[in-house]
Amino acid sequence: TNQGPYSIGVGKFDPDGQRGPAPGALGVGGSAQMSFMAGDSTRGVPKFVVVEWMVATPNYDRSWEGLKIRQDKYSKQWMKDVDDVNAQAPHYTRRIDLTPILTPELLAQVQANRSTTHLKLNVVFKGEEVSITAEPEVWRK
């Protein structure tokens, strides 16, 4: 979820340094979903996650608006200009320790009801800050 004043683009959500999925753009107040299946990893429960995102400030938005109306979309020059505009936005990277979040008690709750319960991570962005909480979620009765 994005609770900041500007849209963001999430470029990385990598558990234990291994490439993971990324939800992409989140509008203000917007949320996205992504899933990891239990069989995705033989490494067990991740110990940390690296999150990388950019914030679309008003200056970035103005620059992007100029790109959207151009006729040469997807040309080499347009792609270079997109990279230049993206470089203007503030970029942030955080490594978050999951050990205090994914407690043995929480994991035991999920594992006890594998057929009906999964682990839900709530990732909240607010400008240059990001936080993660976790909870068991019953998705089928």
Side-chain angles (χ1 to χ4, degrees):
T1 302
N2 176 15
Q3 293 183 352
Y6 307 116
S7 295
I8 63 168
V10 181
K12 184 184 285 189
F13 191 88
D14 294 351
D16 285 348
Q18 303 295 317
R19 187 177 177 104
L26 297 174
V28 175
S31 64
Q33 294 182 358
M34 58 184 170
S35 298
F36 292 92
M37 297 302 291
D40 284 353
S41 173
T42 57
R43 296 181 309 276
V45 178
K47 304 293 182 216
F48 67 91
V49 66
V50 176
V51 185
E52 184 177 292
W53 72 102
M54 62 176 259
V55 178
T57 62
N59 287 339
Y60 169 86
D61 285 342
R62 279 191 293 278
S63 296
W64 182 245
E65 285 300 317
L67 283 175
K68 285 180 12 183
I69 61 172
R70 286 182 30 186
Q71 299 300 313
D72 65 336
K73 285 184 182 173
Y74 308 109
S75 67
K76 285 184 180 182
Q77 184 59 50
W78 189 83
M79 296 301 287
K80 180 192 174 308
D81 293 344
V82 167
D83 290 342
D84 291 345
V85 168
N86 284 337
Q88 293 175 19
H91 287 72
Y92 303 99
T93 303
R94 296 287 186 277
R95 178 185 162 142
I96 300 173
D97 180 10
L98 294 176
T99 306
I101 298 167
L102 303 179
T103 64
E105 297 81 16
L106 175 64
L107 296 174
Q109 279 185 290
V110 174
Q111 291 170 344
N113 300 301
R114 288 177 191 231
S115 63
T116 62
T117 306
H118 63 216
L119 178 66
K120 180 179 181 181
L121 294 179
N122 300 301
V123 184
V124 178
F125 297 90
K126 193 165 187 179
E128 63 187 65
E129 298 302 321
V130 63
S131 63
I132 297 178
T133 58
E135 62 185 310
E137 181 176 74
V138 176
W139 61 279
R140 129 174 107 175
K141 301 218 185 244

